[in-house]
Amino acid sequence: MRFFSDNAASVHPKVWEALKVADAPDAAYDGDALSARLDEAFSALFGADCAALWVATGTAANGLALAALCPPHGGVLCHREAHIEVDEGGAPGFYTHGAKLMLVDGEGAKVTPQALAAAIDPIRPDVHQVQPHALSLTQATEYGRVYTPAEIAALAGFAQERGLGLHIDGARFANAVAHLGCAPIKACRGAAALSFGCVKNGAMNAEALVLFDPALAELVRYRRKRAGHLQSKGRFAAAQILALLESELWLENARTANAAARELAAACGERLLHPVEANEIFVALAPAEAAALRSRGFDFYDWPAPPGHPGAARLVTSWLRLGREAWPLVAGMTLFQFVGNFQFVYQAELHLTSGIVAVLFALLMVPNALFARAFLGQRVTRGFLAGSAVALAGIALLLAHEYRIAAPEGRVGLGVALTLGGILSASAANVLQASERARTLPMFSVLAWSMLLGAALDAALAWAMSGPPQFEPRWSYVAGVAYLAILGSVVTFPIYFTLVRELGPGRAAYNGVVVPIVAMLLSTLFEGYRWTGLAGAGAVVALVGLVIALRARSPSR
């Protein structure tokens, strides 16, 4: 499990959708319709007039803000472990053309008015010493601590009293607001500039720089261009930010990440080094313990250990986890795809060759398209229906051939019925994955849990029906099991269900046109399938019908 950073999480499906919608001609740079909506969107969010500019990175947002607040000969007050000091490669000095970071200490990477006063009061007001011009706070801090509204108000008051421009590095601002449960403005009131983090919270490559001073905003627009951050297709950056703001997705994602952190913290007990207020967990961890966790698949960063501890680690959670709202989808995928579909198909192959089952399964596009029409409102064309009818005629010929050659005790009809059960189960799973709700959930997590639960239920059914599992130490048996487990499941299902989400259930099932060709060839080679004129005619007609359906425009859109 990856706890390196929330930067490592996937792009949220709704952000991907927004990017696709934005992929249409519009004005260049920040003159497009989406970029024009940012000021209004953030003004509504904060209940105050502000300007919002997109940039590609948090470092750029911080650097541009500080450059507007502090002249090259000035200083920026910040905590000794602030991101702008320890993790931005000197970028603040680069953007400000030489301004100095003036470091202050404080528990949990938080600063107080008293600590700030102690740092700057001794400075003489003359040209021989750097004068402070700005104060930069991190909300939430590098140790996952959150400034309360009262603390922010006190620090903003101090900054105003001392003539300091206030900047807030909000790479995890969403997590801070989710923890506080307050209006967003209360977590940053008094700031002249806020770096509003998006990438850690579901975006791909867009951050927002929010400016509460119109004059400052005008200045930053020029600085952004000079710094090389005025992208020519800025609508794609704006689309990501707006997707997070809509329906409070930014806050929902942060709440999910915070909840995951609290769960981990509860399991850590006395190992916790800092209170968990956002989505970062700092724990005491000896080197041997860290190595043991990594050997079990856990990824995280080692962290400087405080006195009295042999080692420490930082774990960061993200929005990419399954909340309670995901479990109905997991249950549906488990029952329909990884239990119902599997059980029906393998039972069907006791009565039909796998090639015939595969030919029948090529019709998956039919219930997929019909279910998508019924439950998702996707369109079905006449050409698609006509092609499906031709394919059914071809399959009828193949089944007639099966009846002719079936052994007297054979039960072809039962095999067909079981296969249809598998088709309907798979189709139900396909439509579930294509639903709007499913698109908002992390597919790999849903599939991982569904596969795990499905495997457990399949094992229980197999034990009940056939007794304890039998292992055959033959290379062909081991290779076959490995193929089904890895290539046939772990690799295939994520690829296929990605197509389902992207193309819709009907069009995703087009791969069924190729499957029966391969399956019938394998049945001929390894299962002794006997071809006749009737079987050949049925195969050709079935494939022609599937191709007609395939060429029908947008069968399930």
Side-chain angles (χ1 to χ4, degrees), residues 213-226:
D213 180 347
L216 204 63
E218 192 62 24
L219 174 61
V220 172
R221 293 185 196 280
Y222 285 92
R223 287 188 173 275
R224 179 177 64 169
K225 172 62 178 179
R226 188 168 184 263

Side-chain angles (χ1 to χ4, degrees), residues 83-133:
H83 197 273
I84 59 173
E85 163 64 13
V86 299
D87 280 307
E88 295 191 356
F94 171 78
Y95 277 92
T96 60
H97 298 282
K100 178 182 179 180
L101 296 182
M102 308 173 79
L103 308 181
V104 181
D105 293 312
E107 190 268 335
K110 295 170 72 174
V111 299
T112 63
Q114 294 77 18
L116 293 169
I120 65 176
D121 283 348
I123 297 175
R124 300 190 310 271
D126 60 42
V127 297
H128 299 288
Q129 294 191 312
V130 174
Q131 304 300 309
H133 283 259

Side-chain angles (χ1 to χ4, degrees), residues 4 33 246 258 323 337 366 456 483 521 528 536 541:
F4 275 133
E246 290 174 356
N258 287 6
Q337 181 66 51
V366 177
Y483 174 83
L521 176 61
V541 171

Side-chain angles (χ1 to χ4, degrees), residues 113 116 133-135 153-167 190:
L116 293 169
H133 283 259
L135 167 62
L155 289 162
F158 176 88
Q160 184 177 21
E161 177 186 331
R162 299 298 183 101
L164 305 174
L166 177 58
H167 162 252

